[in-house]
Structure formats: C-alpha cells, structure tokens
Amino acid sequence: MANRSSQKILPPRSITPTTDPAQPAASRRSTPRHTHYLPLPPRPGLAIIHISMAAPALLAAAALLALAAAWLWDYAVARHLLRPRAVGAVFRAQGVRGPPYRYLRGSNGDIRRMRMRAEADAAALDARDHDYLRRVLPHFLAWKDKYGAPLLHWFGPQPRICLFDYESVRQVLWNKSGHFAKTDAHPAILALLGKGLVLVDGADWVRHRRVANPAFAMDKLKIMATTMVTCAERLIRECEELASTSKSGEVEVEFSRHFQELTAEVISRTAFGSSYKEGKEVFHTQQQLLALALATLLNLQLPGFKYLPTKNNRLKWMLEKKMKTTLTAIIQPRLASKGSGYGDDLLGLMLEACFTTEQGEKQDELALTMDEIIDECKTFFFAGHETTSHLLTWTMFLLSLYPEWQERLREEVLRECGRANPTADMLSKLKEMTMVLLETLRLYGPVLTMLRKPISDMRLGSLSIPKGTGIIIPIPFLHRDKEVWGENANEFDPLRFENGITNAAKTPQALLSFSIGPRSCIGQNFAMLEAKSLMAMILQKFSFTLSPKYVHAPTNLITLQPKFGLPIVLRPLDV
C-alpha cells in the first residue's frame, strides 16, 4: 500500500499521446498529431473503499427486494391462487361443490350481482308469503339448487362452507371445547359493533361474559322494565294525539321508524341512565356506520387499503372517533365517582363487575380495559336497539295480517294486566305473547346468518374442514326446513311453540334467532321483555291493520328489514 500511495497521478492534460517511440523523429513530425487521452486506471485501494461503502446499501436493497418478492408471492400467488385451488380440491374430493373461485374477488361479485338482480326483478311479495329467501339471500338459494348442500363459496380469498342441516349446525354451536371460533370481522362491522361479546373468543369471551352477566340477571331486568314502559308511554300518547285529530278516528303511523327511535331511547336509558341524550348520539353514529358497512361489505379488501385516507375510510375514522369520544365522556365520570357507586344501569352494573371479585373484594385494576368497556357499550347499544326494533316491526306486521291472533293477545293482555301499565311480573304471564314473538323470530328473525371457523382441521360428521375455513349458517333456510318444522314451515303458526322452544320442532332447540348452546345471546331476555312491554301497551289501546300503502318487500340490510317501512292504520279502542 505504501508503494501505491507514492505513485504520482498526472492530471488528464499531462497524459502523453499514443505515438510509437520507435518511429523516426521526422516521421513523427510529419504525422498529424492526433492526441488520444487514456483514462487512468483506478487506484486499487480507492476501489476497495468504494465497494465496501456501497455494500451495506446494496445488501439492504437486496434484502428489501427479497422481502417484497416473498410477500408478493405469498399474497398474489400462494394466498389468492394456490391455496384456493388446494382448498377447492379438498372439498371436491368430498363431493362438496360451489361457484368457481374468481381471483381476489372470490364470490363477492356474484353475490352483489344476484342481490341487485333480485332487488330489480323481484316483484313485491304477497303479504302472506313468508318465503322471502329469493329476495334476501338469492345467492344461497341459487347455489343450493345448482350445487346441493353443503356448498363451498368464497368471501374474497376466504373459503366458506354453507351448512343447511341442523345436525352439523348443532355440532358447531354446541361445541364447548372452543374448536369453532368466530370469524375475523370486516373492518366496517368491527367499527360498528366493537370487539365486544359478539366478536370476541376464547379467554377474552369468558372475561367479557363474566363482566356482563350481572347486568342481565332477571332481577335487574325487572327494574329496567319500568324504564321500558315509561319510554313506550310517550309513543302511545303520541299515537293517541294523532288519532284524536283525525275525523275518522284512525291514524296511519310508520312504525318501523318509530320502533327504531323508541328502542334507541330504551337502550340509552337502561344502558346509560341520566346520560341517555349522549347515548342517542351513539345511535345516530351507528346508523351512519351501518350505512357505510352496507356500501363496503363486498368490496375488494387489498392489504393496507384500510389505512389509506380514502373518502370512506376518512368517514369511518371520523365516526369511530366521535363514538369513542361520546362513550368516554359517559364512562369517565362514573369511574371518578366510584366511591358513591357506578349506577344501577347496564353500564354501572358492568363497571361494578369490573371492580368486584366473586368474593366481594375490590380489584386493583379493571377486569376490562377502557377500550374493552367502550366496545361492549357499542355491542350492547347496537344489539339492544337494532334487533329489538325489527322484532317489534315484524310482530306488528304479523298481528296486522292475522287479526285472530291480535285479538287473542289482546284478551290475554287485558286478562293479565288490565288497563294498567304492565309490570315485569305481569309480562312473564303472557304465554301466547311469547308464542307469537318466537314465531316472529322464526319467520322474520333480524339476524340472517351466523359465522364460525375451526381453529384446527376438524371433522363435522363425514365432512373434513381445513383450519380457518369459514362456516356460515343461513338461519332463514333452517327455519323453513320442513323435515324439522313440518309441512307448514312457511306458514305463521304460533301454536308450534305452545310447549316451549325445546318441543317446537322435531329437532330440540331448533330456533336459532338468539343462537343456541353455551354462547347464546346474553340479551335475549332483555329483548323479549322489551318487546312484550311495548306490544302489550299497544294492544291495550289500539286495534290495527296494514295500511294499503304497505309493500311486502323484506330486504337484507345486514339485519332483515321491510324495504319500504311499515305503515299501519291504528284505531283507538275507546272510540
């Protein structure tokens, strides 16, 4: 290296021309001088330094390129091409078929097209036609006819097995070992519901359920019944005032909207007590999130897309922030005033359970984090008003359609409650009311599908299901299974529940509206009590029929709803 550093490097202008030294001088003088400058060879020491300095950057770039290529292979080829082909082959070997997998989109495009075609082509149904499957789940109906049952379809790249038999469904829902978990929620659904009891699994589900249980104990629900009746009184008075201004004594009321507003007020008061006004802000925010979920549920979900500031994502972020801010403002004062108790509403009871052990000793930390409590509030609020409002809507529809049952229930209500506001004890004696509500849930249950997935490779009867395969349970199909419910499965017949849910069908516990098994809906008694209290008060005051304006078009808006609302003609009984 010392010799190299002693070499003298001439600048380019000093480089000698390329002439032959052996050529005579005269010849050299007579030859035109074409000067060519040769580049100097690089110094070996400097080259080594340059290469060594560039090596880390080159290695990093190569590593990033390799990572990108591996990710691209996994995402574009393995996950969206090779795995669907392999899963499809596994199920074809077992005789399970379905619509073809389409790259990236799966069956989503087919589902969207069939729904749009069903909405455009299907004429309104006869009001007594309760077989609305071709309107709300046209893809399952078409695929079942074409491919048989069970069938395989695709939610994007995710395989889903659709089950149509009760035996398989019971194995999934009654499983106590935790082998069948809930599927990962779509981002829009997660924003709407939060990761509360509806979406959590495993140890988290046990923890959430333990905290929520005290709030739904029957003695607590009896106290809440008074709040339910108070809220219902306002709707009854409003209807009476409208009827009093009518010359005929009749008034037309759009009950679908009124029931949504009423159940939102009930859950606001029973969940948040004196903060019910802020609770109603949650209701309006969730309505916007529901509309956003409907618009984006079947969209192609590219990795990282949910983080991009698109119009829909910005709206979702804004609504999530608004809901979190509202719920935090309700919860924080409760935590600050723990010395005087947390309140006797759903939120207070849940906070009390968070701080109290089974032995009655105070815990040092919350059993649920603040974010988890907020998620439970989202879940209770949506489930508490959305599903109950539609149960009330469809019950009102069916009683309008079958006046003989309307009269039977009125007689029962007047016999057990008289003209007074009903109490929880009175409502518990309304057996025929219970039968009608259960039959309404069978025919027009708000929840249309349930989703699960095996956490390992599982056998379901004779069917082998790979780990992670979605399992979808289409509730209206099962509720119309004539082998289970009889030849009149498509007809309104509350008498099938005369001896309770267990004996209503050939298969025990065949009613799936609140799910079945160890993880059935914690709020089912709350929903039934609320529906009974309001229907009893309406029956005490009014007779009612469907308005001529009513159009029977049940539609799938995540929950089952009447597409054009429910206009009802009310007649006060004392006129």
Side-chain angles (χ1 to χ4, degrees), residues 72-193:
L72 187 63
W73 171 267
D74 178 70
Y75 180 80
V77 180
R79 191 183 309 177
H80 287 85
L81 189 61
L82 300 182
R83 184 173 181 269
R85 286 183 177 178
V87 171
V90 167
F91 283 110
R92 281 194 302 274
Q94 302 179 75
V96 178
R97 300 182 304 142
Y101 170 75
R102 301 183 190 281
Y103 186 67
L104 294 178
R105 296 169 296 163
S107 307
N108 290 10
D110 296 333
I111 294 172
R112 191 193 299 274
R113 281 191 297 273
M114 281 192 269
R115 282 185 179 177
M116 292 175 65
R117 189 161 58 244
E119 288 287 328
D121 296 345
L125 302 176
D126 180 271
R128 290 177 179 264
D129 183 357
H130 308 307
D131 187 5
Y132 50 76
L133 300 181
R134 60 190 180 277
R135 289 192 58 90
V136 300
L137 297 171
H139 47 295
F140 288 144
L141 190 64
W143 292 337
K144 184 173 183 285
D145 288 344
K146 184 173 183 180
Y147 301 110
L151 63 86
L152 172 69
H153 73 288
W154 304 85
F155 189 77
Q158 301 168 9
R160 286 185 174 178
I161 288 291
C162 191
L163 302 177
F164 295 93
D165 67 290
Y166 269 101
E167 184 54 39
S168 297
V169 169
R170 285 176 63 81
Q171 288 183 49
V172 172
L173 298 180
W174 276 98
N175 187 279
K176 296 181 180 180
S177 61
H179 291 312
F180 292 97
K182 296 165 185 176
T183 55
D184 297 331
H186 186 280
I189 299 297
L190 191 59
L192 176 67
L193 287 176

Side-chain angles (χ1 to χ4, degrees), residues 224-242 255 258-259 261-263 265-266 269 392 419-423 427 530-542 570:
M224 294 177 194
T226 304
T227 303
M228 297 172 183
V229 168
T230 301
C231 294
E233 276 186 306
R234 279 189 284 276
L235 176 60
I236 297 297
R237 282 199 300 269
E238 183 180 340
C239 292
E240 287 178 325
E241 289 170 3
L242 287 172
F255 268 98
H258 278 292
F259 284 150
E261 293 174 355
L262 174 67
T263 54
E265 182 175 1
V266 169
R269 289 182 178 274
L392 285 164
R419 295 284 181 175
N421 284 344
T423 64
L427 295 171
E530 184 179 357
K532 282 183 181 181
S533 61
L534 182 56
M535 289 309 305
M537 295 177 72
I538 291 175
L539 288 163
Q540 285 174 325
K541 299 288 186 178
F542 302 98
L570 290 178

Side-chain angles (χ1 to χ4, degrees), residues 466-493:
K467 172 184 176 181
T469 301
I471 296 173
I472 188 162
I473 301 169
I475 298 173
F477 281 84
L478 291 154
H479 282 175
R480 286 161 176 75
D481 187 338
K482 293 184 178 180
E483 291 184 4
V484 173
W485 294 98
E487 288 301 315
N488 67 341
N490 284 318
E491 299 172 15
F492 177 71
D493 181 14

Side-chain angles (χ1 to χ4, degrees), residues 344-385:
D344 58 359
D345 50 25
L346 287 174
L347 176 59
L349 294 168
M350 186 165 63
L351 292 176
E352 184 69 28
C354 277
F355 275 103
T356 308
T357 65
E358 292 181 1
Q359 291 76 28
E361 299 173 353
K362 297 294 180 180
Q363 294 178 344
D364 293 330
E365 297 180 357
L366 285 171
L368 299 183
T369 66
M370 174 63 77
D371 284 342
E372 287 174 324
I373 293 172
I374 288 173
D375 282 344
E376 284 301 346
C377 288
K378 292 179 185 179
T379 297
F380 289 159
F381 203 93
F382 183 80
H385 82 78

